[in-house]
Structures are given as structure tokens and as C-alpha cells.
Amino acid sequence: MIERATTCLENGGKHFLRITKNPFRTHRHLHSAFWSHGAGDIDLPAWWHAFLQVPSASPSKWLTKGDSPTTRSTAHDNTDLGFLDILYPTRTLAFIRNYVNENTTTLRRHRRSHLPSSRTRTYTSSADDSVNIQPNQGETAEADGPDVVTNNNSSIAVETVRPPEENLTARFHELLFDEERSINTPHLWKLYEKFRELAIPVDLGDIAQLIICLGKSSTTFDIEKTRELFDNIQLSDRTVIHYDHAISAALKEHDLAGAMAIQEEALDRNQAVCGSSILKYTVLRSDWEAAVTIWQKFRYDQRKVDTTRSVWDEVKTLPLSDLFVKATEAVEYASGLDDAASVRNFAFGFARNVLSIRRKGFDQSLQARLMEKVQLIQHPSSLRLWEFAIMQNFSMGRQSHEHTQGGLDLYAVARTWPDFALTPTQMGTVLSRYRSTSNPQGIYDILDDYRRLYGVPPRPAYRLLISQLARQGDFATADQLFQESMARFGHGDEGDISGLAPQLLSACYRRAEVDRAVGVIDSLQKRYGYCPDLRAWNILLATYARVGDCDGAVALWKRLASKDLRPDSSSYGILVGMFAKRSDYEAANALYEHAVSEGVKPSVEMVNGLVMALATNDRLDEAQKVAEEAIEMEFGAEACQGKPPPESHIFTRMWNILLGQYAMKGQLDKVFDVQKRMHEVGVAFDGLTYAALMQSLCIQKLPAAAQKILKLIMPKHGLRPMALHYAIVISGFVALKDYPVVFSLQRRMEEDGIKPTFSTQNALLRLTSQIEEKAHARDSTDSDVFRATRAESILSETLDRIDPMELATLGPTKFAQTSPPNIALRTSYFPYLIALYGRKRSFGKVAEIYNKYISTVGKVDADFEANPPIEILSALMVSYTYGGEYDETKKCWELALEKSKEIARKANADTSQPGWVLYKYRFILSLPLTRYMQSLQATSGVDEISATIASLQRDGFQLSVHNWNKYVQILVQDKDPVLAYEICEKHLMDGWPGWNRFGDGTHLKQKIKKQWVPRSWELDRPFPHYETFVYLTSAYLDAQGLAYGAGRDLLQEFERVAPRTVEAVHMMPRIDDTIQGQLLKRD
């Protein structure tokens, strides 16, 4: 027989008092003596003492203070059977004995808080699940304790706790309004029933609170009692609260018809019940027919009921992602019905409410799917829905580029419809979002829409439009709007012209057009009487700095002093940055100290300039120290943009300068160290931070790792890749000749909507040229003229779409030249092709490409033929040297020398004195020098080469490792072997690792070139080329072949001036290759 076990004890004493609402059933069989040992009154405190006594125990052992054995023994009559310890585990007995020794007050409080609230013994063999609470009858056991009633119809004693009538209301309120503990609704309901049994009236406010308490639960008991309570309320007493919870209870029982009947009753009584919960129920179950019915009824009945509640209120509490899904389903349902205007109205109302929500959980893809379905239905509200969708994206997009872009994409679609129109205020929002995403085409679209819808833009929009057009470098359109604004609103407003004129100057700065900027100031002064302020002069100063015109910048600086305009920190920052870019640390530091002495507070730009000047002079430890100290400096709120420094990125650029220098040197470990330090001090990362890391990885021939940063890490951190990042990775794969990956990256860049820049186009041109050069070597004969047809096609396409506006959005670039940006934009493609055709002896193509260069650059520089970039001159020298045109080579060399004085001269330095060359430009002549030495070897001999080298070193130029190797080889060829050995020992052998480093002679030349030959960023690292050793070995063999005395003296001289070189010559492996076969073969 399944017996019903006690609810107050559990195994092991873990839960001595089990709090439960229902009887606890167990399969354990009770002992036959259980019913006669006094368990019937187990709730009474006296039971513990009498019941737990064993026959041999002393009665006093179980007594508590103030109790006598007599009073305790009256708790039960039958104790001769002894203590049934078989019913209780050992730990439970120990716990009980401790518990019953507590004082009476503690026991009463403990029982009151832990015993089941029904105060009813429910373990019997035949008791019902429910316990009847009867009116007071019988005698009380204690004067101050609970009343006890015995049910005489049962053989089982059941005691019931009945609070006195006067305390019933207090107890009911205590449970009803208890905010600290969860409400025991079964107990609460029993108290309510007792009110009804005793015919005690219950306050309507208490009934309302009771139905609220029951309505919060989803248990079957509470749902049933909610509906029963509602039925017990008089019709005239039913309020909105009662109806709402009754409807909710009906819906929990899936009784949709009952819920709707309750709502009908409420509306008939003019109660403001909107049916929102019923609509939510039908929406969740996609019961669109019922949903439309509820929605229609509410729209009709709302006219009779004064309510501010919406039928969509409960629906809108669903997660936003679920709402998008359900709204899409509703629109699909409506689109599948013919001639169902009410259904379409419902669907569009649903969609409008969803699109009006502004909260987390927004999913752009779900919104896009909804708008796709909306387009399938012709409805007067469809255009209005697009307006809601656009603004919903914008409200979510302040921290998300994807959401902002999603709103702009929707606008780009909607604006093509004739009847679509946003308000001027909404168009201003769209305009501001276009500005935040730097969307060039979007600015023109919004300008066209202003003119199409309203004739002209409103006055506030002029400033925004001109500002954004200036940022894009579109001077012509910005100037047109400026003139239009002046004509419409007059130019008497000094504040207006003072705010717009700097925007026009900014467009000139971004296009790197100094002459145009000067013309703007002159024109505004003459036409409008404009008096430029310091901000305008600073923009002009920055334009001079951008094109590298130091003389013009200094002249303007002196002009400002004559106008009694005191330069501010921005003025100093521009000049310090200009000198820093030139690597002129002395000038930059002197200007910085002068600013401090004048009381000008250092700005971030000034500190950036110092860091750059030190870094470009290879004083990287000092540069990092300045960057560390800058973190402790206090900069103004304007520099921080109102944000804490780590969030405002104000220190990021100076640390990126360090990263860039380490990256260009291929020092990957240093790049990681600096990035780690940035993280430690709280300096935020940006796109250029990752660009530096990608550059260092590509230099270490790890472009795949750089590609991972591009694809995964940057998007993970919310950074959108720029053309620079693609150019870096593409160049890395070009260096490895992994051509398929390069074309894949190019396609991905186009898919991401990134326009090609001259960095990416240069990388693509080099790649295509390499492929065509390789194919020509494989498939053609020596007599075939080489043509890089595809590379020339890329060049023509690129030149056709060159736009100075590209400079406005152009960040740091690869393949940058010494020319100003506006010139480099057009000329950076030509040197590679000219040099390539020169090496291939395609001299006709050299002339053709050079003529194309002249026609291109002549559009922006009238003095281009007399002042070509050094890169062009160096490329031409390659062609002239291979073609034997040594006079032309010399002319190019002389032009390169003059150009270097313009570029590489220190501030205020005299080029007639030694040491005028800036450190950054010490290798600027290394490429043309190699070709010039070859030309001199063929014409004037070694003496003039030595004199040229001495002159260059006197000025401050340095020879690269490739120059020194070429010089040694020329000396051997010109029969000056001792000087060749001496030069090699002095300038090249310090970096020689020894022949053992390369193993056997297999692929010796490739091993040396791959592992040890200095790269473009290591021009000052000493290292002798393999060819140089072959030439020196040839000279050594020639000395051995001389007569005994002369040969011995020459060999001894080699040993004296170059012992390491001689040892390397002795150890050089003899292999069968072309150069050793030509130079070391002896008869």
C-alpha cells in the first residue's frame, strides 16, 4: 500500500521542515505501530519531548525551561510502545534533539516561518488531497495558540489552524501585500474562501489585488482560480483590471472564444479593454484571420471607449526579431489574398508598428526581408513604411556602421519612386548620415532631392552640404553652393561667410592646390570684404605643408606675424608636422620649444610631429619615450572631442607612427611590443594600427597572416578595411608571385565597395607586368620586342579616371613618391613601366610611356619637364644606360642632383656647405647613382666615380649596400683590385655570416638572395653580394697568375687591407654557374 508520508521530516536532516503545497507521497511502508505512538499531534511542541523519549530516558532530559513533566506528558496517551527510532535516520534524530531544546519563542517563530501554511497534517493512509477548513468548533489546546478542530467522521485525526475572525482580515492583507516574499496563492485563496464561508465582505480593492496576484502566475490552480474569482465578482463591480486578468487567464487556457467573450462584455460596458493581449495571442500563433478580426473590432469599438491604450501594446513587447518575422508572415498572408483590403490594412499597421520600435535586438536582414515583402503589395501606406524603416535604421545606427548604411541603402531605393518624399528635417538626418559614412554619391543624391522636392536646400543644409563636398574635394560644387547661399541669404552676415569660407579653403587643402587656395582668399576679400581669421590662414598654411612647399609655408608664417595674428597651437602643429615629415628633427624641435616659450600650450599635433621627426631619424627609443610622456599630458576638450583620451583616439596616431617605422624595417617583434604597450596604456587601435602590423607581416613574407587580419580581425573590432589594407596584402602576395590570391583580393575589394586607389592600381600594374614579363621569357625569342600590353591597358584605364577628389579621401599610401600628392597621383605609375621597358631594351616603348607621362602631368604642373620627379629620372637612366645613351644618363643625373637639393635640404641649410642632407633622404640618389656609375665606367673611368661618391658623402648622402657592391665590381673591372678589396672590407664585410651559413653550393645564389641580401628598408646594412665575391675571386686569381714577385706583393696587400674578404674568397664554393664560368675560367 502506498502510504502518505510526513511533510515535516526528510532523510538526513537536510530539510527538517518541507515547505510544500501538496501532500508528499512515497512508496515507503509505515511501521504497524506508527498510528499508536502519538504522531497525530506532531505539530505541537510538547510532542517532540514525549514522542522522542525512550523508556529508559529521564523525563527531565527532554524538558525545556518552564515546562513540567506533567504538562509535556499530556501530549499523547500511548507511550508504552516506546520510541520508534526505526522510522528516523541517525542524523535526523540528532537534529530533532537539538531543535526541541530551543526555547518556546524560538520554536514558535521557527514553526511559523517554516511549517506549511495550511498548518495541516496531511499524511494518512486514506486522507483526501484537499484539507477542509471548517468554522471554529471544539476546544483550543492552548490559550494563546491556534484553534484545533477534530474531524469526528474520520478515523484519522486532522487538526486545522483557524485564525480568529478578528485576525482573518489582517492575515489576508499580510499575505496579499507582502512584497518581500513570493505569495502563496493556494493559501491566499483558502483565506478568501473562508471569507465567503463566513459571509465576511471583501473589499473591492482587495479583490483587485487578489486577481493581480493570481494573474501573475501560469499554474493551473492560479489560472482556474482567476477565472473563478472573476465569475464571483458582480457584473457592476468588474473593472478594467478584472477584465484584463480574466482575458489573460482564458488565453493561458487557450480559450480564445472565452477571452473574446470577456472582451465583448467589457466593451459593451464601455470599459477601456483594448484586446491587446488577445491580438498578441493570435500573432504568436500566426492565426491571422482571428488577428484581423480582433484588430478590426478594436478599431470600431475604440470610438466608443476613451482610452489611450493601443491594440498593439502587448504585441510590441515581443522580441524585436520575432516581431519582424511575424510582420513578414502577416504581409505574406495579405499578399496571398485577393480583394482583402482589411487584411492588407492590418498587415501594414502591424509592419508600421514594428518599424516604429527603437530598441535593442534590431536585425537588419529581417527588416530587409520585411521590406521586400512590402513591395509586393500595392498599398497607400507603402511609402510611409519605407520612411519608418529608414528612420529605424538610423535610430539603431549611431554606434553601428551597418545600420546606418542599411538606412542609406533603403533611402537610395525609395528616392527613385516619384511619390516618395521625406520632410526637410528627415532629409537633414539623411544628410548627416551620409556625412558620417563619407558617401560621396549620397551627398549628390540628397542635393538633387532637395532641389527636386523643395527647389533649394534650407539654410542649415548649405553649411552641411558645403562642408561634406569640401571633405570630398569637390571644390566646384562646393563653390557653386557657396555662391548660391550668398545670393539667397546675403553676405552681410559675417558669421555665415566666416563659417563657409574655411570650407572652401579646406577643399583646396584636400586637393593639394595651393594656388587655388590663395585665389579663394583673394576673391573673397575683393567680392565680400572677407577678412580671413586665424582658422583660414591655418588651412592655407596646411596646404603649403601638404605639398611640401617649405619656403611658401615659412613665408606665410612671417606674413601672419606682420598681420599681428598670434599663431596658436594648430599653427605650430602644422609647421612642426611639416618639418617632421621631412625628417628635419632640429627644425621641428626648435619650433616646438619656441611655441612653449611663447606660452602656447602643446597640442596633440605638435607632439605627433616630434614623435615622427624622431622616428624618421631612426631614434625610435626616444620617439617612444615622447609618446609615453604624452599620455600623462593634459590636452584640451577640443582635442579629445569631449571624450576620455582612450576613446577619442588622440594618442593613436603618434603610436601608429612608431608602428609604421618598425613595420617598414621588418621588425615584427617590435611591432608586437608596441601594440602590447598601446593596449596596456589604453591607447585605442584604428585601421592604421592594423595596417602597420599587416605591413610587417608582408615584409616577413607572411601575407596570409596579414590577409587574416583583413578578413577576420578588423571586422571583429568594427573596423572597415580601407584601400590601403588591400594594397598592403596584394603587394605581399605579388612579392611571393601568388597571382591567383591577388586577383581574388581585387574582386573582394570591389565587392566591399572600396574604390581602387593609386596604391591598389600600382600593385595591380606591377603584378600584371610581372606576369607578362614571365610569359615573354618563356614563350618568346631574344629578337622579340617585349610589350606589357595588359599593364599598359591598366595604366590607361587608371589615368582616364584620375580625379583630384581622390586626394581628399586618400589616407596613407603605398608606392608614395617624393613628389607632392597632386603630382604623385598622376606620376606614380610611370617609373616602373619605364624602367621595365628599359631593362628589356624596348627603347621605343620607353619613349612612348614617357610621352604619356608628359601629357598627363602637364595638366597640373607647367614646369614638369624642367623639374621631373627623381623616380622618373631614375627610370629613364635605366633605359639610357642599357641603350648606351650616356650623355642622356648624365643629364638625368644632374637633374636628379638639383631635385635632391629641393627635397632633401635641411631648413635654412646652405647646399654649398657640407652636411645639408636630411637623414630621411640620405639614400634618395642611390638608384640613379648605380646607373650613373655604369655610365661613367663606360666613359670617364673610375676616378670620376670616386670623386662623385666623395662629393655625395660630403653633402650627407649615403651609398646603399647595392651602390657599394656595384662600386667594388667596377673597381675590379677597372683593374684597381686593392681598392676593391679595401672598400669591400670596410663597407660590406661587417654583415657577412660566412659560407657555412648556406650549406653546400646547391642553389647558392638563390639562398644568399633569399636569406641575407638587404631589402629596400635595409639599404645601410652591410653585405657583400655573391656576384661581388666572384669578381673579387677573379681579381685574386689574376694576382696569382702574375709573375712571382708582383703577384706575391699584390696578394700580401690583399691580406693586409682586407683579411676577412680574402678568407671569404678562399672559402667560396666553386659551382658551375654562368657568372663563375665567365669570370673564373682560366686557360
Side-chain angles (χ1 to χ4, degrees):
M1 178 181 83
I2 298 179
E3 294 292 341
R4 196 169 298 178
T6 178
T7 62
C8 59
L9 298 176
E10 282 196 5
N11 188 26
K14 294 181 180 178
H15 296 285
F16 179 66
L17 300 172
R18 179 178 179 85
I19 302 174
T20 182
K21 300 174 184 176
N22 298 313
F24 182 79
R25 297 178 181 273
T26 178
H27 289 275
R28 183 172 59 182
H29 294 276
L30 298 180
H31 193 273
S32 58
F34 180 81
W35 305 115
S36 60
H37 83 289
D41 50 5
I42 195 169
D43 279 337
L44 297 178
W47 172 83
W48 299 113
H49 302 275
F51 176 66
L52 293 177
Q53 282 184 356
V54 295
S56 60
S58 173
S60 62
K61 180 179 180 180
W62 304 100
L63 297 180
T64 57
K65 293 181 179 181
D67 292 320
S68 66
T70 303
T71 58
R72 292 304 176 95
S73 62
T74 60
H76 60 87
D77 298 329
N78 192 0
T79 59
D80 57 336
L81 292 175
F83 174 51
L84 298 180
D85 56 356
I86 60 174
L87 296 177
Y88 304 97
T90 305
R91 292 179 60 190
T92 303
L93 290 174
F95 178 72
I96 293 172
R97 286 166 181 160
N98 278 338
Y99 181 78
V100 298
N101 283 330
E102 299 288 342
N103 59 51
T104 306
T105 305
T106 303
L107 282 173
R108 187 175 292 119
R109 184 175 63 251
H110 194 78
R111 292 179 59 218
R112 190 163 52 243
S113 62
H114 288 82
L115 281 176
S117 57
S118 63
R119 304 283 179 128
T120 307
R121 296 284 306 282
T122 57
Y123 59 90
T124 80
S125 298
S126 58
D128 293 331
D129 286 348
S130 60
V131 177
N132 294 324
I133 302 178
Q134 300 179 1
N136 292 343
Q137 49 181 306
E139 298 179 357
T140 61
E142 295 178 355
D144 59 347
D147 298 336
V148 179
V149 175
T150 302
N151 185 350
N152 297 322
N153 296 327
S154 174
S155 60
I156 309 302
V158 179
E159 61 181 23
T160 305
V161 177
R162 295 185 309 185
E165 182 176 334
E166 61 272 13
N167 294 329
L168 187 60
T169 302
R171 179 61 177 159
F172 184 66
H173 286 169
E174 179 184 351
L175 293 176
L176 189 62
F177 298 101
D178 190 351
E179 297 180 356
E180 297 181 359
R181 294 183 298 177
S182 59
I183 297 176
N184 188 337
T185 50
H187 189 201
L188 199 59
W189 182 256
K190 289 172 183 176
L191 291 176
Y192 168 72
E193 285 188 329
K194 193 163 187 179
F195 275 112
R196 292 175 57 81
E197 291 172 4
L198 297 175
I200 300 175
V202 183
D203 186 74
L204 292 178
D206 293 347
I207 292 178
Q209 183 64 26
L210 178 58
I211 202 170
I212 290 173
C213 294
L214 293 171
K216 291 179 180 178
S217 174
S218 297
T219 64
T220 302
F221 175 85
D222 291 338
I223 294 171
E224 291 175 353
K225 297 309 178 186
T226 300
R227 300 195 71 176
E228 182 179 341
L229 178 61
F230 177 78
D231 292 339
N232 293 337
I233 301 172
Q234 295 292 329
L235 181 63
S236 60
D237 293 335
R238 294 175 182 175
T239 65
V240 173
I241 293 177
H242 304 132
Y243 285 114
D244 282 343
H245 286 283
I247 290 172
S248 177
L251 293 176
K252 290 175 183 177
E253 291 185 321
H254 304 292
D255 183 6
L256 179 59
M260 295 183 69
I262 296 171
Q263 187 198 14
E264 289 280 353
E265 177 189 308
L267 293 175
D268 289 341
R269 297 186 58 242
N270 292 331
Q271 295 290 327
V273 178
C274 66
S276 181
S277 57
I278 303 178
L279 185 60
K280 177 182 178 181
Y281 178 87
T282 57
V283 166
L284 279 173
R285 285 153 183 79
S286 300
D287 187 352
W288 302 119
E289 184 176 353
V292 172
T293 301
I294 299 249
W295 176 75
Q296 282 183 308
K297 183 161 188 61
F298 170 73
R299 292 184 65 196
Y300 171 76
D301 292 328
Q302 190 180 31
R303 303 189 191 113
K304 303 187 300 181
V305 180
D306 183 18
T307 177
T308 58
R309 302 168 69 189
S310 168
V311 72
W312 299 105
D313 286 347
E314 287 292 327
V315 178
K316 290 162 72 172
T317 61
L318 294 172
L320 188 54
S321 58
D322 293 347
L323 285 172
F324 274 120
V325 173
K326 293 299 180 181
T328 303
E329 291 178 8
V331 173
E332 288 178 331
Y333 173 76
S335 64
L337 299 177
D338 296 331
D339 194 22
S342 60
V343 179
R344 287 196 295 273
N345 291 337
F346 164 79
F348 275 85
F350 188 10
R352 183 176 64 250
N353 276 274
V354 173
L355 293 171
S356 66
I357 296 174
R358 310 287 189 263
R359 67 168 182 256
K360 293 182 179 179
F362 175 75
D363 189 321
Q364 188 177 356
S365 62
L366 294 177
Q367 189 207 54
R369 176 170 171 75
L370 173 60
M371 300 313 296
E372 287 178 10
K373 299 301 180 182
V374 166
Q375 292 185 77
L376 300 177
I377 304 178
Q378 297 297 325
H379 192 275
S381 301
S382 59
L383 296 180
R384 183 71 171 162
L385 287 186
W386 283 86
E387 174 189 324
F388 274 98
I390 292 169
M391 295 304 155
Q392 185 181 48
N393 271 280
F394 290 161
S395 69
M396 304 293 179
R398 293 189 181 277
Q399 291 83 28
S400 172
H401 171 81
E402 289 76 13
H403 293 160
T404 299
Q405 190 58 51
L408 294 177
D409 292 342
L410 290 174
Y411 177 75
V413 174
R415 66 179 295 272
T416 61
W417 302 328
D419 297 330
F420 180 78
L422 296 179
T423 65
T425 301
Q426 291 172 332
M427 291 184 67
T429 302
V430 176
L431 174 58
S432 65
R433 294 302 189 274
Y434 272 131
R435 293 181 71 242
S436 67
T437 57
S438 300
N439 186 320
Q441 184 56 43
I443 298 299
Y444 298 112
D445 290 344
I446 199 72
L447 178 58
D448 290 343
D449 290 345
Y450 270 127
R451 298 193 186 282
R452 174 173 58 86
L453 298 172
Y454 304 106
V456 291
R459 186 167 187 171
Y462 275 105
R463 185 183 294 267
L464 293 176
L465 288 167
I466 293 173
S467 173
Q468 183 58 33
L469 290 168
R471 288 173 59 185
Q472 295 173 191
D474 187 354
F475 176 82
T477 309
D479 184 54
Q480 177 187 350
L481 285 175
F482 172 79
Q483 303 299 341
E484 185 179 305
S485 174
M486 291 296 103
R488 286 188 60 200
F489 306 111
H491 55 270
D493 187 348
E494 179 64 24
D496 226 24
I497 193 170
S498 297
L500 295 178
Q503 303 299 338
L504 294 180
L505 293 172
S506 177
C508 300
Y509 161 77
R510 292 181 178 276
R511 295 168 64 95
E513 296 176 343
V514 173
D515 294 340
R516 189 191 292 270
V518 173
V520 166
I521 291 181
D522 292 341
S523 174
L524 293 178
Q525 285 178 323
K526 294 176 181 177
R527 188 170 181 179
Y528 302 110
Y530 171 61
C531 182
D533 55 9
L534 185 58
R535 179 189 176 195
W537 291 119
N538 280 343
I539 296 174
L540 181 58
L541 186 66
T543 309
Y544 277 110
R546 189 169 193 208
V547 301
D549 188 353
C550 290
D551 294 337
V554 172
L556 178 60
W557 182 271
K558 295 177 179 178
R559 183 180 172 187
L560 293 180
S562 66
K563 292 179 177 292
D564 296 328
L565 287 175
R566 186 172 182 267
D568 59 4
S569 58
S570 296
S571 311
Y572 281 101
I574 293 168
L575 277 191
V576 171
M578 180 186 68
F579 289 124
K581 287 179 182 177
R582 293 168 47 82
S583 184
D584 195 343
Y585 173 72
E586 288 76 11
N589 188 54
L591 194 60
Y592 184 94
E593 292 179 350
H594 179 264
V596 174
S597 66
E598 291 291 318
V600 176
K601 187 176 181 179
S603 65
V604 179
E605 290 77 14
M606 292 169 65
V607 179
N608 286 342
L610 280 186
V611 172
M612 179 182 291
L614 289 167
T616 53
N617 278 276
D618 282 344
R619 297 162 64 175
L620 289 167
D621 291 338
E622 296 177 60
Q624 184 165 347
K625 183 179 179 181
V626 173
E628 296 269 6
E629 293 173 351
I631 296 175
E632 304 299 327
M633 297 174 65
E634 294 184 1
F635 297 103
E638 182 179 355
C640 298
Q641 299 176 347
K643 302 177 182 178
E647 297 180 13
S648 62
H649 293 73
I650 64 170
F651 300 118
T652 302
R653 183 167 180 261
M654 64 182 71
W655 287 84
N656 284 345
I657 292 168
L658 291 172
L659 287 172
Q661 289 299 310
Y662 282 125
M664 293 307 299
K665 292 177 176 293
Q667 298 180 4
L668 187 58
D669 56 337
K670 287 289 188 180
V671 171
F672 285 132
D673 289 344
V674 172
Q675 285 191 325
K676 179 181 178 181
R677 183 59 181 157
M678 289 174 68
H679 181 73
E680 291 173 350
V681 298
V683 177
F685 287 17
D686 65 3
L688 296 183
T689 309
Y690 289 104
L693 178 57
M694 293 163 65
Q695 180 69 52
S696 61
L697 290 169
C698 289
I699 287 175
Q700 295 296 331
K701 299 185 178 180
L702 298 170
Q707 186 181 15
K708 184 177 180 181
I709 295 175
L710 179 73
K711 288 184 176 181
L712 302 177
I713 297 179
M714 290 186 65
K716 180 180 177 182
H717 289 84
L719 294 172
R720 188 167 183 260
M722 300 184 295
L724 171 65
H725 299 103
Y726 280 97
I728 291 172
V729 180
I730 288 173
S731 299
F733 282 108
V734 168
L736 295 183
K737 295 181 172 55
D738 193 345
Y739 304 135
V741 178
V742 173
F743 291 117
S744 173
L745 283 168
Q746 184 188 17
R747 288 193 299 271
R748 178 187 173 94
M749 186 178 71
E750 294 174 355
E751 292 170 359
D752 288 346
I754 299 176
K755 293 179 62 176
T757 64
F758 83 78
S759 293
T760 59
Q761 291 302 99
N762 264 295
L764 185 61
L765 184 142
R766 283 162 168 74
L767 166 66
T768 308
S769 299
Q770 289 179 11
I771 294 175
E772 292 183 302
E773 184 179 7
K774 184 177 181 180
H776 180 267
R778 182 183 65 245
D779 303 331
S780 304
T781 62
D782 293 339
S783 60
D784 292 335
V785 177
F786 171 69
R787 281 185 61 92
T789 307
R790 178 55 186 154
E792 287 187 38
S793 175
I794 292 174
L795 175 63
S796 298
E797 293 172 3
T798 304
L799 294 178
D800 288 342
R801 62 169 182 254
I802 280 180
D803 188 342
M805 288 175 58
E806 181 181 336
L807 292 173
T809 56
L810 197 63
T813 59
K814 285 183 65 66
F815 312 106
Q817 296 182 326
T818 56
S819 304
N822 57 332
I823 303 298
L825 179 66
R826 294 171 169 82
T827 62
S828 61
Y829 312 98
F830 293 99
Y832 184 84
L833 277 180
I834 291 174
L836 175 62
Y837 280 130
R839 290 195 306 271
K840 294 296 182 179
R841 301 181 185 275
S842 299
F843 304 118
K845 295 301 298 180
V846 170
E848 180 181 333
I849 297 297
Y850 183 65
N851 289 332
K852 183 175 289 189
Y853 156 76
I854 291 175
S855 62
T856 301
V857 76
K859 300 174 183 178
V860 293
D861 186 3
D863 195 30
F864 65 96
E865 286 191 273
N867 194 23
I870 289 180
E871 293 81 5
I872 292 290
L873 293 170
S874 179
L876 288 173
M877 290 174 72
V878 172
S879 175
Y880 292 146
T881 301
Y882 276 98
E885 300 181 52
Y886 301 121
D887 291 339
E888 295 297 326
T889 303
K890 185 176 182 180
K891 290 179 182 178
C892 288
W893 171 254
E894 291 172 350
L895 287 173
L897 274 178
E898 289 300 317
K899 189 70 176 179
S900 68
K901 292 180 180 180
E902 174 188 334
I903 297 172
R905 178 174 58 86
K906 295 179 181 178
N908 303 319
D910 185 357
T911 56
S912 63
Q913 300 297 318
W916 54 266
V917 176
L918 290 166
Y919 181 83
K920 178 180 179 180
Y921 298 104
R922 65 194 186 281
F923 294 115
I924 195 174
L925 293 176
S926 61
L927 288 177
L929 177 61
T930 297
R931 304 307 170 191
Y932 186 53
M933 286 193 295
Q934 291 176 314
S935 176
L936 290 178
Q937 181 186 9
T939 56
S940 305
V942 173
D943 292 340
E944 190 167 345
I945 295 177
S946 300
T948 300
I949 290 174
S951 175
L952 291 174
Q953 290 180 318
R954 171 182 172 276
D955 292 336
F957 293 104
Q958 292 184 19
L959 273 66
S960 70
V961 61
H962 308 296
N963 295 141
W964 287 118
N965 276 280
K966 190 63 180 179
Y967 186 33
V968 169
Q969 295 169 23
I970 291 174
L971 288 172
V972 171
Q973 292 172 337
D974 261 19
K975 307 305 179 183
D976 194 349
V978 175
L979 182 58
Y981 270 84
E982 184 178 354
I983 294 296
C984 182
E985 184 77 13
K986 181 178 180 181
H987 295 286
L988 298 175
M989 287 304 294
D990 288 342
W992 176 244
W995 292 105
N996 291 334
R997 177 66 178 79
F998 308 106
D1000 59 21
T1002 307
H1003 304 297
L1004 180 62
K1005 185 176 180 180
Q1006 290 79 359
K1007 290 178 183 178
I1008 294 175
K1009 184 176 182 180
K1010 182 177 181 180
Q1011 300 178 24
W1012 286 95
V1013 171
R1015 302 177 188 177
S1016 59
W1017 63 90
E1018 300 174 312
L1019 296 178
D1020 55 351
R1021 180 167 71 84
F1023 185 87
H1025 293 175
Y1026 167 71
E1027 294 84 352
T1028 301
F1029 275 126
V1030 176
Y1031 275 100
L1032 291 171
T1033 303
S1034 174
Y1036 197 89
L1037 293 177
D1038 288 342
Q1040 287 180 330
L1042 294 176
Y1044 178 71
R1048 183 187 61 185
D1049 293 341
L1050 189 56
L1051 293 175
Q1052 289 177 350
E1053 188 66 14
F1054 289 165
E1055 289 282 358
R1056 185 184 68 81
V1057 300
R1060 292 179 296 172
T1061 305
V1062 171
E1063 180 183 1
V1065 166
H1066 287 164
M1067 299 295 295
M1068 186 185 76
R1070 300 305 190 262
I1071 58 177
D1072 185 15
D1073 66 357
T1074 303
I1075 188 170
Q1076 287 200 25
Q1078 292 176 350
L1079 298 180
L1080 303 186
K1081 184 178 180 179
R1082 295 293 185 270
D1083 295 333

